[in-house]
């Protein structure tokens, strides 16, 4: 099922926090650029990468997995 343009707009307008799976500290990696771009657009990025767990990226603590993100850090969207 493909969402309509209106549905996509609604999702993006109601989203405030995004879990970025595979987030990288390497500026040459696409995921790093994606995180920077989304953060610059006002989204709170919660990075997920088991190799970087506990470090800070995009101003947030990196989590090893989605299930490690505490409930008080509500995630609206997973990328």
């Amino acid at each position: 099922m493909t969402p309509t343009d209106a549905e996509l707009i609604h999702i993006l307008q109601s989203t405030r926090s995004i879990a970025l799976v595979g987030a990288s500290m390497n500026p040459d990696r696409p995921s790093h650029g994606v995180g920077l771009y989304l953060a610059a657009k006002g989204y709170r990025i919660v990075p997920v990468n088991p190799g970087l767990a506990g470090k800070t990226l995009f101003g947030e603590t990196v989590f090893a997995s989605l299930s490690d993100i505490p409930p008080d850090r509500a995630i609206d969207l997973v990328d």
Side-chain angles (χ1 to χ4, degrees):
M1 184 168 119
T2 303
T4 66
D5 288 349
E7 290 169 327
L8 288 173
I9 290 168
H10 173 72
I11 290 168
L12 293 173
Q13 288 178 336
S14 63
T15 295
R16 296 290 169 250
S17 62
I18 300 172
L20 182 58
V21 177
S24 176
M25 290 185 157
N26 181 345
D28 294 330
R29 303 284 301 179
S31 64
H32 188 84
V34 167
L36 288 176
Y37 177 83
L38 293 171
K41 294 296 181 183
Y43 296 101
R44 182 173 58 91
I45 304 305
V46 178
V48 177
N49 183 322
L52 301 175
K55 296 184 180 185
T56 301
L57 182 60
F58 312 122
E60 297 280 340
T61 300
V62 181
F63 292 95
S65 68
L66 290 172
S67 63
D68 291 335
I69 300 172
D72 66 332
R73 308 282 296 276
I75 299 300
D76 299 320
L77 185 96
V78 175
D79 178 20

